[in-house]
Amino acid sequence: MIDKNYAPQEIEQKWYAFWLENKLFASKPDPNKEAYTIVIPPPNVTGVLHMGHMLNNTIQDVLIRKARMEGKEACWVPGTDHASIATEAKVVAMLKEKGIEKKDISREEFLKYAFEWKDKYGGIILDQLKKLGASCDWDRTRFTMEPKLYEAVIDTFVRLYNKGLIYRGVRMVNWDPQGKTALSDEEVIYKDVQAKLYHIQYPLVDGSGHVTIATTRPETIMADAAICVNPSDERYLSLHGKKVFIPLINREISIIPDEYVSTDFGTGCLKVTPAHDLNDYELGIKHKLPVIDIIDDNGALNEKAVLFVGDDRFEARKRIVKQLTEEGYLIQTEEYKSTIGTSERTGAVIEPKLSLQWFLKMEEMAKPALENVMNDNIQLHPAKFKNTYRSWMENVHDWCISRQLWWGQQIPAFYLQDGTLIVAKDKKEALRIARDKYQLFALVEDDLTQDPDVLDTWFSSWLWPISVFDGIENPDNEEINYYYPTNDLVTGPDILFFWVARMIMAGYEWRGELPFRNVYLTGIVRDKQGRKMSKSLGNSPDPLELIEKFGADGVRSGLLFSAPAGNDLLFDDKLCEQGRNFSNKIWNAFRLLKGLEVKEGQSLPEHVLASEWFESKLSQTILDVQDHFQKFRISDALLSIYNLVWDDYCAKYLEIIKPPYQSPIASETLNTALGLFDQLMRLLHPYMPFITEEIWQNMEDRKEGASICKAEFPQAKTVQTSIIAQFDAMFEIVTKIREIRNTKQISPKMALSLCIKSDQASAYDAINPILIKLANLESVSFIQESMAEAQTFVVKSDQFFVPLANDEDPAVLKEESEKELIYLEGFKKSVEAKLANEKFVQHAKADLVERERQKLSDAENKIKSLKELIARLS
């Protein structure tokens, strides 16, 4: 007995446990099967499931489930990222709650606490993905800080250093004062803000006057090294080489000319502060200016500032503005729209800062990564992101890979007491190099000090498609040779350079080939007002609550109803409600079939015809679905299946074959209907795995351990276009008759008569029984002459008349027909214009062009019939 209502929570838990118990997601290399591989974008161990994860992982699961059903050796590798900055912040906060400061404990003690935190909280998001139905091979779960993957990162550093691609140097970096670490350019988020532009007078040393500079950062004037003017700026020609006093501290600096300065910005005088601005730093190198760093790692002013020592930079700004005003140096303050860099992780305003860091040269590594995306060896979906990608890769900067943290892979660089640097896999190897290279035979491991910094988190995740198959340590193992390159990557465009481009670089560096063939870029999930979802706005629903309310299948399908690749998704609970309604529709259709009384016997001819029609619709949809998948139109594929199930199977096919109330159905008809329903469940399974498994298991007795997960994905058969066209016309007739009922407020129970004027009356023989049933007709007859007093409509070239007892005035019918004629003539022009477009005819798919030609033919036939009707009514 099938339950009246579909209960997703109970069913989802049951089938997920069944899938795991029977290891249906497990994968092993099989030389007799084609491999299909996806590696999960590893979520941070600090993370909990949000709507972006839901969308991203639903798409991955759709792809992997479909491949599994197609007989491929489908392998979806899960895992988590150690997330250096975010995790360290969480652990520091946890220690503070225990009354422990990071500075008071050793690195080893801190890492012990960090791993305890990771073991307690780090697997939460993976468990949440199971609620969604993610069919990962969980036995393969990896973690970027696990021993083997840690070792892979260290080996990569040593390899690239020995190739001369990694170097250590003092450079201007993006400093996060809250995270107390350097960041790469890609980890900086730029925001438009309303700032203030301060006009400050610098007195000339010779007492002949002053120059005025405009700055948004008056707290850095104590670090100024020069005043710069454009050499062609006539206002300042006489001042070249003169000196000014820095206000408040009276230190002398020179006025220097350089074409870098714009004459029309601010006052035309630029304060040059090499330690606290990237462009000023470049000017400082050019003019050999001193570098005075007055801001410490916490973002506070240090002793070199002389004034406001110990004050936070923003507090110091307020105080110096007050003092400059009081002493007469600040002459004007104006509102100014500015752009500031902020830390992606902490949100802190970035401080440009000179720092000794480790860098990776990117120019040569970027070349194959750019070439193989631009030539489509690796395809981005949608392709519009190629321009963004190219812009980044053609302007790539060296990657700052060191971070001033403890949580992460510690840089494998060791220093002798005299500062000599040795890069090696570990201390033991460094000691061997020191003895061999420098003949320091008395040296012991305690004489070596390891660099305290760790590597950027992305320096481990860029190896992910290789390292998860242990391809760094063992580049010729069975798994890497079978599963790599992977097939498809699903991720967000926000990390296209952060992660995707770097994985491509790593692929060509380590294995000389691409890491994946396709990159599907999802859009951002926004609320229905178009705002990005965030905790602060309170507009981000809890995904687990959505699953509890609508069922995992409802949420999965709801998300994908309107999620075209690369375009943002405006999320509304109503999408999940639509998904749940779809689940209920499927469930009720199955209950209907299973609840019918059956009698042995063959199908009626009209039921055989209806089944042939639906088989053709099914095959046509399968072809459309495969085409959509090939083009990564995952949402479009779902909508095709949705329409097939809801409209064609439930609303049309079942209505045709359903017997009258309390009458039995022929066994052949039911078996055919169930066979078609089985195909629908297979087609839908990648999107809605739980309800399709429940129904598939209940359709017939299955072998122990059998699952729809491994059932064959439907294959298209012959599409009988003539039957589809015949049924399309019939359904249009039914719709027109139902419209007449609605307009005239005629009960659906009242049988009507239908008269048809057609040159091909015999074409209706086969479908008449269906037409009579669906439109509730008492008779269908064929006439030679038009009927003046009847409701009239045209389908293709045939005219249809529904006589009613109290029919409306022929003048009204004429007016309605004339309106329809105007519309059809406009429609005909638009189709003619499309077919007259040579590019469309040459480049569009042949069946699409043929459909447009058919539309034109239908329109011409209807126009001809309407003109005859209007002439008769005149």
Side-chain angles (χ1 to χ4, degrees), residues 415-477:
Y415 303 94
L416 304 183
Q417 290 175 353
D418 65 358
T420 300
L421 168 67
I422 299 172
V423 170
K425 187 171 183 176
D426 51 33
K427 260 192 181 181
K428 186 177 179 181
E429 177 67 11
L431 187 62
R432 186 193 63 75
I433 292 171
R435 287 171 174 173
D436 291 353
K437 189 173 182 179
Y438 302 108
Q439 285 76 51
L440 299 170
F441 300 111
L443 209 65
V444 294
E445 286 190 15
D446 287 347
D447 295 324
L448 296 170
T449 303
Q450 187 170 358
D451 194 305
D453 290 353
V454 301
L455 287 156
D456 178 13
T457 298
W458 298 105
F459 197 83
S460 56
S461 53
W462 77 320
L463 305 174
W464 189 247
I466 304 172
S467 62
V468 295
F469 299 114
D470 299 326
I472 302 292
E473 292 300 292
N474 185 1
D476 196 32
N477 74 73

Side-chain angles (χ1 to χ4, degrees), residues 93-107:
M94 177 193 74
L95 291 174
K96 276 190 176 177
E97 288 177 7
K98 295 181 177 183
I100 302 170
E101 292 290 331
K102 178 187 172 186
K103 61 183 174 60
D104 296 332
I105 60 175
S106 68
R107 186 182 197 120

Side-chain angles (χ1 to χ4, degrees), residues 54-55 58 62 132 550-563 569 571 574-583 586 634-635 638-639 642 684 686-689 691:
M54 294 278 280
L55 175 62
T58 295
V62 168
L132 183 66
F550 299 107
D553 289 333
V555 176
R556 288 167 63 111
S557 55
L559 275 170
L560 290 180
F561 278 140
S562 58
L569 183 154
F571 179 77
K574 288 179 180 175
L575 289 169
C576 295
E577 193 176 330
Q578 184 183 358
R580 181 181 62 187
N581 292 345
F582 188 34
S583 295
I586 295 164
I634 312 298
S635 286
L638 173 60
L639 289 171
Y642 176 88
L684 191 56
Y687 292 95
M688 303 177 78
I691 191 170

